[in-house]
Amino acid sequence: MNYLDEFKKFISSHYLSTGVRLTLGTIIPSLIFHHYGILSEWIAFPLGTLLIGGTDNPGPYHRRRNALLVAIVTCFIVACVTGYLRHFHFIIFLEIIVFGMFFSLVGVYGNRVNSIGLISLLVFVFNIDDHLSGDMVFRTAAIFSAGGIWYFVLFMVLQKLLPYKLIQQLLGENFVELGKLLSIKADYYFANPDYDELFNRMVHQQVILRENHENLREILFKTREIVTESTTKSRILMLMFLDSIDLFERILNSQQNYANLHRAFDHTKVLRLFGTYITWLAAEIQQIGLAVQSGYASHPRHDLDEAFNKCQRAFERMREHKMNHDNMEDFIMLRQILNSLQDVTERVKKLHRATKYEADVSNDYKLTVEAEDFTPKQDYHPRILLDNLSLKSSHFRHAVRVTLGLLAGYIASLFFDVGHGYWILLTIAVILKPAFSITKQRNIHRIGGTILGVIIGFLLLYLIQESTPLFILMMVAMILAYSFLKINYFVASTSITLYVILSFHFLNPQHVTNVLQDRVVDTVIGSLIAYMISSYVLPVWEHSQIKQYMKEALDANRKYFDIVAAKFTGKQLDINELKLLRKNAIIAMANLSDNFQKMLSEPKRQQLNMEEYHQFVATSHMLTSYIASLSTYAQTLEYLEFSVEFEMMTRQIDRQLQAAMDIIDGKTGNSLEIVRESLPQNQRLLALLADRKKQIKELGIEKADQSPVRKMLSDLKTINGLFELISTISIDEIKILQKIKTAKAA
């Protein structure tokens, strides 16, 4: 995707919409109050709008609505309690312990509740001293809540006017990221690919897609109007999402042995031609994403039919002149790639038509899956909170770190002569995260962004004397701050610092120099405290959790394989269950990959067995991809006469996957014997293959192609090859786990 397309994506994204909504929701009442000369007295109103709006994460309408109402009530209570008791330092210490533990621990209920907890902590910090409310605690808390109610009204109005806008933005982003995944896949077809670098990029992209899929599932399947009272537009949005999931699986299951592919065909132009066409398809998918985000119909940038036909003609010419009985299997592999490209091409053409939102596109659409099975489930029972009151819980450890960090920050604000000491606590609250790697990254971005923001703010105030351009720049900074808050914390931190400085300039221009100094000093102090706390107070290192993620990935892949392989043994395939297990396998794989990526950011002393863990992540990725490839054939083909052979192979692979899980669980099994056992050979397929080679050798390709066995053999050879690859990968995972086990015991 070029820079212009990236800019278009950002302009139509929900990130920018959030930034604009928060900025206008804050600025409009501020301008009204300024006009009547009461802004300084009512400053808590825009602050309430800004903070309450910060809890409005993407999700179903009813969950967003409920979260905003809970946030308004909770923040009002916190503001009152803190304000009335702030003159007693020992009470503040107790409040830090209670609020710090509780509002951090509620993160066990998911991101939405966690955001309410964080905002409640920020409200507590803002009300520790009397800079905000003075002696009018209740009045200020009420004004703050009124600001939150104003944002709630704004949310309700926009939801009624644009009910599908958020879905379109997230779905469009999903297609853009899907296109990026396919463009990475295209790089495998060009000369001298860097397999490790491409694999790492694919893993990162799949983690992004996993999070996007979860948000979309929750919104689409939990929105009653879409599932039960669907309009043409809502049906098409659902159709496009389901097609995007199938397209994601198709991209995953196009996994090939690229080293063999380059060995066989690098001397020809066919791989480069395929790679170029895949790049075009990736650009088309991204174009569809931009169109869905913006709400206009997309049109193909290229003639896809002509481009695919060019690839097909190149393959057929090469096959006609260069295929023989020795390299027949290489051409079968190339044929499967061509079949995949044809499938993706048809899906892309269908998606282009869908962006017009015409009724005939959705006439035959029916929801073929049970929506309840595919939505993220969140239990809010109090026992979950109580069960996490243990040092074994990563959430409890995080709550302890946040509480100790706030205590240290409050003590520092009492002893250091700084004018905005509460900024120290704000810095600690927003930087400390459960994962060390994220805390470390946010720490660097916070300090760097603050310093850069102060420099830019100083230059702007020095160079620009007029209020109007400064006000416009402050609004731009606010929009950028809340647009980039979840995608680039460095840009967000820079922008937040800039608009805070400019807002203080408008409110109290005589003391803006002190604000510049306090901002840097308080941020550095808060960042140092956050770093020390995250490094030495009950840290949760990723290597201590990776075992669980590995087990979940293995278990999910095994269940996914079992339902797919069962089709080849003569059993019926339950499509709903297949898609559910596919979803679980992809999520487990993404969680494992995300865990490993976080390990790379931790101190070197905590990066244990990194080579083996990297190998396991890579093999898990390939295992899921090969099973996904097998599932494509399971949904379209049925060769019952080979069921006995496939059943023997299925049982052997199942034993291999179980042996790998036994090693993770520390069970002493027969994994060494299983590794030595070879996968049962498909004798009937070998006989067919020998006959086919004999036909080609004796009759030539043209006459041999007239045999009815050709299509069946091509399918069966690919299916059998996938069983063999899955078995090989399973054995590799057993060996990797044995290495890890040996290293830990040493």
Side-chain angles (χ1 to χ4, degrees):
M1 181 177 273
N2 57 40
Y3 290 113
L4 179 59
D5 284 346
E6 285 286 355
F7 179 73
K8 289 179 181 177
K9 174 196 168 189
F10 175 72
I11 289 297
S12 56
S13 69
H14 76 94
Y15 298 110
L16 182 60
S17 295
T18 300
V20 171
R21 186 168 64 248
L22 282 172
T23 300
L24 293 181
T26 303
I27 291 294
I28 290 173
S30 298
L31 289 175
I32 295 173
F33 297 152
H34 178 72
H35 175 75
Y36 288 102
I38 57 173
L39 178 57
S40 59
E41 299 174 23
W42 283 67
I43 193 66
F45 189 98
L47 183 62
T49 303
L50 202 57
L51 292 180
I52 297 299
T55 66
D56 185 20
N57 296 324
Y61 159 74
H62 68 282
R63 290 192 176 176
R64 294 172 66 192
R65 178 199 63 201
N66 295 344
L68 288 172
L69 292 174
V70 170
I72 291 169
V73 174
T74 304
C75 290
F76 175 77
I77 294 172
V78 170
C80 287
V81 171
T82 308
Y84 283 120
L85 299 176
R86 64 171 171 242
H87 300 295
F88 307 97
H89 290 307
F90 73 94
I91 294 293
I92 292 179
F93 280 108
L94 290 176
E95 288 177 335
I96 289 175
I97 295 172
V98 174
F99 290 156
M101 289 297 298
F102 178 75
F103 289 126
S104 300
L105 198 55
V106 293
V108 299
Y109 294 117
N111 290 332
R112 195 176 305 281
V113 179
N114 184 61
S115 66
I116 296 174
L118 176 60
I119 294 302
S120 299
L121 273 180
L122 298 187
V123 170
F124 164 68
V125 169
F126 272 116
N127 284 275
I128 281 181
D129 60 30
D130 59 1
H131 73 280
L132 186 63
S133 60
D135 295 325
M136 297 179 290
V137 174
F138 184 84
R139 180 175 180 273
T140 303
I143 293 173
F144 178 92
S145 299
I149 293 170
W150 154 243
Y151 180 86
F152 179 79
V153 171
L154 186 63
F155 156 75
M156 295 289 286
V157 171
L158 291 175
Q159 183 65 30
K160 293 297 181 183
L161 294 176
L162 303 168
Y164 299 120
K165 188 60 178 177
L166 178 60
I167 297 173
Q168 288 178 274
Q169 290 170 332
L170 289 174
L171 185 59
E173 183 181 343
N174 178 50
F175 280 117
V176 170
E177 298 301 336
L178 199 58
K180 290 180 181 179
L181 181 68
L182 188 58
S183 68
I184 297 170
K185 188 69 100 171
D187 291 342
Y188 280 100
Y189 291 85
F190 296 110
N192 303 315
D194 185 339
Y195 295 116
D196 288 338
E197 192 264 341
L198 289 174
F199 169 75
N200 289 332
R201 285 169 58 195
M202 285 199 70
V203 165
H204 175 70
Q205 200 62 26
Q206 286 170 19
V207 171
I208 294 173
L209 281 163
R210 183 279 311 267
E211 183 177 351
N212 194 282
H213 288 167
E214 290 299 285
N215 286 334
L216 276 167
R217 281 193 189 96
E218 185 181 36
I219 298 174
L220 285 165
F221 291 144
K222 283 292 186 183
T223 302
R224 180 173 56 87
E225 289 79 5
I226 292 178
V227 177
T228 60
E229 301 175 5
S230 53
T231 62
T232 297
K233 188 169 187 177
S234 65
R235 285 199 305 272
I236 291 176
L237 288 172
M238 178 71 83
L239 173 66
M240 285 195 287
F241 171 65
L242 295 176
D243 276 354
S244 77
I245 298 295
D246 290 338
L247 188 57
F248 178 51
E249 183 187 42
R250 174 55 86 173
I251 294 172
L252 282 184
N253 70 30
S254 61
Q255 184 76 20
Q256 300 288 339
N257 189 327
Y258 295 105
N260 287 347
L261 204 61
H262 281 281
R263 173 190 54 76
F265 300 108
D266 248 358
H267 60 285
T268 71
K269 295 181 180 179
V270 70
L271 289 186
R272 188 166 69 251
L273 184 63
F274 280 16
T276 301
Y277 182 57
I278 294 171
T279 302
W280 284 13
L281 287 173
E284 295 293 336
I285 294 172
Q286 290 177 310
Q287 175 72 11
I288 290 167
L290 293 175
V292 172
Q293 273 192 331
S294 304
Y296 61 78
S298 66
H299 302 282
R301 293 180 174 180
H302 308 92
D303 187 336
L304 297 181
D305 290 327
E306 175 58 31
F308 174 76
N309 290 336
K310 185 177 180 181
C311 293
Q312 189 171 33
R313 289 193 298 269
F315 166 77
E316 289 173 349
R317 282 196 304 268
M318 190 172 64
R319 182 177 180 275
E320 181 181 353
H321 294 103
K322 296 187 178 181
M323 191 178 98
N324 54 51
H325 64 284
D326 290 325
N327 62 10
M328 183 185 72
E329 295 181 39
D330 293 331
F331 278 88
I332 288 177
M333 179 168 55
L334 208 58
R335 166 70 73 181
Q336 297 306 321
I337 295 173
L338 197 65
N339 290 342
S340 255
L341 290 180
Q342 185 176 24
D343 181 74
V344 173
T345 301
E346 293 304 317
R347 292 179 185 277
V348 169
K349 288 160 60 179
K350 178 183 175 183
L351 287 166
H352 272 303
R353 292 194 300 273
T355 59
K356 298 176 183 177
Y357 299 103
E358 296 174 349
D360 60 331
V361 176
S362 65
N363 282 341
D364 298 327
Y365 162 67
K366 290 182 180 179
L367 188 61
T368 58
V369 296
E370 294 294 331
E372 194 64 29
D373 293 336
F374 290 86
T375 52
K377 296 177 176 60
Q378 183 62 63
D379 185 2
Y380 294 101
H381 198 282
R383 72 170 183 277
I384 298 175
L385 195 68
L386 297 176
D387 289 344
N388 278 272
L389 295 177
S390 166
L391 287 176
K392 294 181 180 179
S393 167
S394 60
H395 291 283
F396 182 79
R397 286 171 169 249
H398 170 62
V400 172
R401 287 195 296 273
V402 170
T403 302
L404 292 178
L406 292 176
L407 286 171
Y410 183 63
I411 293 171
S413 69
L414 294 177
F415 283 93
F416 286 92
D417 185 19
V418 289
H420 297 82
Y422 62 94
W423 276 347
I424 298 176
L425 281 78
L426 289 177
T427 300
I428 294 168
V430 298
I431 285 180
L432 278 175
K433 297 296 175 185
F436 172 84
S437 57
I438 299 176
T439 300
K440 174 184 174 183
Q441 183 186 59
R442 288 175 74 92
N443 226 326
I444 295 170
H445 289 174
R446 180 78 174 191
I447 294 176
T450 298
I451 293 173
L452 181 59
V454 166
I455 293 172
I456 295 173
F458 174 79
L459 291 175
L460 289 177
L461 293 175
Y462 180 76
L463 297 173
I464 302 174
Q465 305 300 322
E466 295 291 328
S467 296
T468 301
L470 286 176
F471 180 76
I472 293 172
L473 288 171
M474 184 186 74
M475 285 189 61
V476 171
M478 283 190 73
I479 293 172
L480 290 177
Y482 295 103
S483 299
F484 281 93
L485 192 59
K486 294 182 180 179
I487 53 178
N488 191 318
Y489 192 65
F490 176 75
V491 174
S493 184
T494 303
S495 302
I496 289 173
T497 300
L498 180 57
Y499 92 70
V500 166
I501 289 171
L502 292 178
S503 64
F504 269 92
H505 168 72
F506 286 114
L507 291 171
N508 199 347
Q510 293 82 11
H511 296 90
V512 71
T513 304
N514 294 333
V515 171
L516 293 171
Q517 177 183 330
D518 290 348
R519 185 72 181 179
V520 173
V521 172
D522 293 347
T523 298
V524 170
I525 294 173
S527 295
L528 287 174
I529 292 172
Y531 176 78
M532 297 298 291
I533 293 290
S534 64
S535 299
Y536 299 106
V537 178
L538 300 175
V540 179
W541 306 114
E542 297 300 326
H543 70 78
S544 66
Q545 303 182 78
I546 196 169
K547 175 181 173 181
Q548 182 62 30
Y549 288 115
M550 291 164 67
K551 183 178 178 180
E552 289 173 359
L554 263 174
D555 185 54
N557 274 328
R558 183 185 179 187
K559 291 176 180 176
Y560 187 24
F561 169 75
D562 283 345
I563 192 172
V564 171
K567 176 64 183 297
F568 298 101
T569 66
K571 297 179 181 178
Q572 290 297 314
L573 188 64
D574 185 331
I575 296 297
N576 187 71
E577 187 178 2
L578 170 68
K579 292 187 175 183
L580 177 62
L581 293 176
R582 175 186 70 182
K583 181 203 78 167
N584 293 341
I586 291 172
I587 289 174
M589 180 182 68
N591 287 339
L592 174 64
S593 303
D594 190 33
N595 177 265
F596 179 76
Q597 293 296 319
K598 290 175 181 176
M599 286 176 66
L600 296 175
S601 300
E602 293 185 336
K604 293 293 183 183
R605 67 181 185 276
Q606 299 298 335
Q607 295 181 10
L608 309 175
N609 305 313
M610 291 298 287
E611 183 178 351
E612 288 77 14
Y613 286 132
H614 183 266
Q615 291 172 355
F616 189 89
V617 172
T619 53
S620 294
H621 167 81
M622 288 188 288
L623 183 58
T624 306
S625 298
Y626 291 141
I627 298 172
S629 298
L630 195 61
S631 77
T632 302
Y633 292 98
Q635 295 174 63
T636 55
L637 301 175
E638 194 166 346
Y639 292 111
L640 295 178
E641 61 269 34
F642 290 85
S643 60
V644 174
E645 286 78 6
F646 285 129
E647 186 170 0
M648 293 170 60
M649 300 170 80
T650 299
R651 284 201 301 265
Q652 177 65 17
I653 293 172
D654 215 42
R655 290 178 64 217
Q656 292 166 353
L657 293 172
Q658 182 58 53
M661 291 182 65
D662 288 343
I663 296 174
I664 293 179
D665 288 334
K667 298 178 182 177
T668 55
N670 56 346
S671 58
L672 292 176
E673 290 77 7
I674 290 176
V675 167
R676 297 191 190 101
E677 293 177 4
S678 58
L679 193 70
Q681 289 191 322
N682 194 329
Q683 297 298 332
R684 294 185 64 182
L685 178 60
L686 291 176
L688 277 176
L689 193 59
D691 289 343
R692 175 69 177 157
K693 288 182 178 180
K694 184 179 179 181
Q695 287 177 356
I696 293 174
K697 189 174 182 180
E698 294 177 354
L699 303 176
I701 294 175
E702 186 175 349
K703 289 186 177 180
D705 280 354
Q706 298 174 7
S707 170
V709 175
R710 182 178 73 88
K711 173 67 167 62
M712 182 176 71
L713 180 62
S714 177
D715 292 335
L716 285 170
K717 181 67 179 67
T718 304
I719 293 168
N720 195 81
L722 288 169
F723 272 97
E724 291 175 347
L725 286 169
I726 291 169
S727 175
T728 302
I729 292 295
S730 301
I731 290 173
D732 288 343
E733 291 199 331
I734 291 174
K735 293 177 179 177
I736 294 166
L737 290 169
Q738 286 174 336
K739 285 183 183 178
I740 295 173
K741 183 179 179 180
T742 303
K744 286 184 176 180

